[in-house]
Amino acid sequence: PGGAWCYTTDPSTRWVYCTDVPSCVPPAEPTTPPPTSAPTPEPTNIPTNVPSSPPPTKAPTPQATNAPTDEPLPVCSTPELTSFESLTSDRRSAFQNMGLPTITGGTSTLFQGACQTDRARQRVLMVGIDGLRADVVGMTPLPALRRLQAMGTYSFWADVQSTESAVSGPGWSSMFTGVQPSKHLVGGNGDLTDIAYPTVFKMVKDTFGMSIAASVSWHPLVTQIIDHEDASTLDDRFLASDDQAMAQKAEEWILGEQYDFVFVDFDGPDAAGHSTGFDGYASVYQERVRTTDALLGNLLDAVLGTSSGEEWLIVVTSDHGGEGTSHGAEDVYNRKIPFLVASNSPRVGIGYMPFEDPGSHMDVLPTIMHFLGGPGAVPDGLDGQVFGFNDYARRAPTPAPTPTPCVPDPANCGCASVKQADYRGTLSVTESGLEC
């Protein structure tokens, strides 16, 4: 009556003690150990590294001796690769079926088959990062931007406006208004008060009556654009001395749940680019971008900490890229930027924009208006489109008009055509010693 431990094909019973090795039929209970002279089973039927002697009266636990037991072993749930790819390519639909906690108490209506959350529960965080090149975002570990990227639609190849040089004035104005400089009439950094189209702030205030606050590092965005357009648009404003103070004030607003719409402007990457060069591989520029991302992470944490029962839209983009220590040239280094839209709204897709339709910073205004009021809230005549929403069909991009080439004009720190300096912010003297 010899015996051995047998490995079975039954996943619920991997090991049994067998008195009849060929048939591997387990006994009801192990009995008195067989005599020491009893023959052992054939070696070919004995599992490797398992002793042939009978078990003791009380078998040791697997933790103590690694001996097999009758307990089932854990089963790994490895999905089929095709199923996994399908899940990750349509995460929004997968999340809808996961039974996650949802916003309750809001009145929902439908337009074009999509849910619209009660406006009183909607919030917006608009983030502009001056001089943020596309490549530095794509290749640098930036935790905050990666978190936002996973919660919405993104592009690392979005366009800036195309009818003026890639400088701040026309870039920010196109971001604010959703149209080309040829329409809003801001051609540089010295004619910001010429803006001839309503900004997203004015439009949101007039259409939805939201409370709006702006914390900025480049003061003219408030003093010469937003307040010049209508001083009553903003319910609060903060003109910061640096990005740290700017972000801290915005974080206080969010944590205090004081405003429905918060706008912030980071200026650090642009200052670093003008000082030592716009380059994703340059240590000074890259480190400033990483610092900006950390401050953005604080804002995101504040949103997450106070967002219960609310539907948020977070928009992040830039006014221009850069190359060398400037950003006026007509090339991809200056005219390609990141654009991200993140939201807990089921209307917002998760994934990347296609190469042939990468989006533009002119998409900011229509995207925010569509989030708040659906397609009927988006004004006609815009050059930008709604970015990242499943309930909006983007039209085929039209070829951008050829901008006037930038002719270097050292006497004006910029281009001869507009006589505007692209050096600004915290830098007052160029590398050649010219004051700007």
Side-chain angles (χ1 to χ4, degrees):
W5 287 104
C6 296
Y7 185 83
T8 78
T9 58
D10 182 355
S12 65
T13 308
R14 288 302 191 193
W15 292 92
V16 296
Y17 183 71
C18 304
T19 56
D20 183 359
V21 173
S23 62
C24 277
V25 177
E29 289 291 340
T31 57
T32 306
T36 55
S37 60
T40 59
E42 291 299 321
T44 56
N45 293 327
I46 300 177
T48 306
N49 296 328
V50 177
S52 60
S53 59
T57 303
K58 183 178 181 180
T61 61
Q63 293 80 1
T65 64
N66 292 325
T69 70
D70 291 339
E71 295 297 324
L73 299 178
V75 178
C76 293
S77 299
T78 303
E80 291 288 349
L81 184 60
T82 52
S83 300
F84 187 68
E85 193 277 337
S86 176
L87 172 69
T88 56
S89 65
D90 189 13
R91 283 177 289 170
R92 183 67 74 186
S93 295
F95 294 160
Q96 291 297 101
N97 297 323
M98 288 177 63
L100 298 175
T102 58
I103 297 173
T104 58
T107 301
S108 294
T109 57
L110 293 175
F111 50 81
Q112 295 186 0
C115 294
Q116 171 69 16
T117 298
D118 182 2
R119 228 298 306 139
R121 294 177 175 271
Q122 292 183 301
R123 304 290 184 268
V124 176
L125 174 62
M126 176 179 166
V127 180
I129 304 177
D130 206 301
L132 185 63
R133 266 177 53 145
D135 61 346
V136 71
V137 175
M139 68 186 181
T140 306
L142 301 171
L145 285 172
R146 294 295 171 263
R147 291 163 69 189
L148 294 172
Q149 181 180 332
M151 291 192 290
T153 302
Y154 64 93
S155 172
F156 296 153
W157 199 244
D159 294 307
V160 302
Q161 53 76 24
S162 59
T163 63
E164 285 290 350
S165 298
V167 295
S168 292
W172 283 105
S173 298
S174 286
M175 189 193 307
F176 288 176
T177 63
V179 298
Q180 294 281 4
S182 57
K183 294 181 180 179
H184 63 61
L185 305 182
V186 176
N189 294 342
D191 57 353
L192 300 179
T193 57
D194 291 345
I195 195 164
Y197 255 72
T199 67
V200 63
F201 313 105
K202 172 72 170 171
M203 197 164 291
V204 166
K205 172 69 76 173
D206 291 348
T207 305
F208 304 107
M210 296 180 77
S211 56
I212 306 174
S215 182
V216 300
S217 291
W218 192 38
H219 301 176
L221 294 178
V222 167
T223 60
Q224 297 183 37
I225 297 182
I226 304 175
D227 279 352
H228 179 78
E229 177 188 34
D230 185 344
S232 67
T233 295
L234 296 178
D235 296 276
D236 205 348
R237 59 191 54 72
F238 183 70
L239 308 181
S241 58
D242 54 45
D243 284 356
Q244 180 76 39
M246 181 278 300
Q248 183 175 349
K249 175 57 68 175
E251 184 180 358
E252 292 173 4
W253 288 339
I254 295 170
L255 290 173
E257 300 184 84
Q258 296 174 259
Y259 304 106
D260 302 321
F261 184 156
V262 174
F263 165 63
V264 298
D265 144 57
F266 290 97
D267 205 41
D270 185 71
H274 283 305
S275 298
T276 62
F278 293 87
D279 187 341
Y281 292 94
S283 59
V284 174
Y285 180 71
Q286 187 182 75
E287 186 59 32
R288 188 63 66 89
V289 171
R290 293 181 63 222
T291 298
T292 300
D293 182 77
L295 295 174
L296 176 59
N298 294 339
L299 299 183
L300 179 55
D301 289 341
V303 168
L304 294 173
T306 58
S307 62
S308 178
E310 297 172 345
E311 184 179 65
W312 276 82
L313 178 72
I314 303 172
V315 181
V316 182
T317 191
S318 183
D319 56 338
H320 57 71
E323 185 182 24
T325 56
S326 186
H327 47 72
E330 308 299 333
D331 57 35
V332 294
Y333 302 106
N334 294 272
R335 309 197 77 92
K336 288 293 185 179
I337 55 171
F339 195 116
L340 298 91
V341 168
S343 178
N344 56 323
S345 169
R347 300 162 56 205
V348 175
I350 296 180
Y352 56 86
M353 291 291 286
F355 182 83
E356 59 275 7
D357 183 19
S360 159
H361 63 190
M362 292 183 291
D363 293 345
V364 170
L365 184 149
T367 299
I368 292 175
M369 294 299 291
H370 183 75
F371 168 71
L372 296 172
V378 180
D380 294 330
L382 300 181
D383 296 310
Q385 303 186 66
V386 176
F387 183 101
F389 276 70
N390 295 321
D391 59 344
Y392 178 89
R394 289 175 65 92
R395 62 182 180 271
T398 56
T402 302
T404 303
C406 177
V407 179
D409 182 20
N412 291 283
C413 304
C415 297
S417 61
V418 293
K419 297 288 191 270
Q420 301 296 340
D422 62 356
Y423 293 96
R424 56 147 199 79
T426 58
L427 186 71
S428 59
V429 180
T430 68
E431 289 184 337
S432 62
L434 183 66
E435 291 187 0
C436 296

